Amino acid sequence: MMARTAPLLIDIVTGDARPIARQIADAVRLRISTGELTPGDQLPSVRGLAQQLGINPNTVAKAYGDLTTEGWLEGRAGLGLYVAPVRQRLSPRERERRLDEAVQRFVCEVLPLNVSAEVIHARVDAELGAVTKRRA
């Protein structure tokens, strides 16, 4: 069976505090987590994605390298990069650390908006619900 090359529709946000390589890596992680990309799907080449996004290929190579190191992607000699088989990619301690870090970042960004906790909870629940539906 031949793996399909999965299109990567990624929006790069120039005003985002995250570096472009991080935006790419985050987008790929989300697509894998929601099932839009599945194990065995081939990703576009570094050059191909760089041309599509209008960015430096080194930036895409950095994102792909990080994702490979983390176990999200696997390289196949001479064939390219593919979504790795599903497995626990992070240790429980690392998952907790990243969750704490993400929650702290989130709180620091929404607190200045002066929005009630109820509204924040409702928005988070709605977004998680939407993402969870895509996974099913």
Side-chain angles (χ1 to χ4, degrees), residues 4-12 21 23-32 34 36-38 41-46 48-55 60 63-64 67 73 81-83:
R4 68 179 178 92
T5 299
L8 273 182
L9 303 176
I10 297 174
D11 291 323
I12 299 301
Q23 291 182 51
I24 294 167
D26 288 349
V28 171
R29 280 189 211 95
L30 180 63
R31 281 164 179 75
I32 293 170
T34 59
E36 291 177 48
L37 289 173
T38 59
D41 283 349
Q42 184 175 17
L43 272 70
S45 69
V46 168
L49 186 58
Q51 287 176 340
Q52 173 193 323
L53 298 175
I55 61 173
V60 176
Y64 279 1
L67 291 164
L73 304 179
L81 284 171
Y82 295 80
V83 175

Side-chain angles (χ1 to χ4, degrees), residues 30 86 123:
L30 180 63
V86 177
R123 292 279 179 93

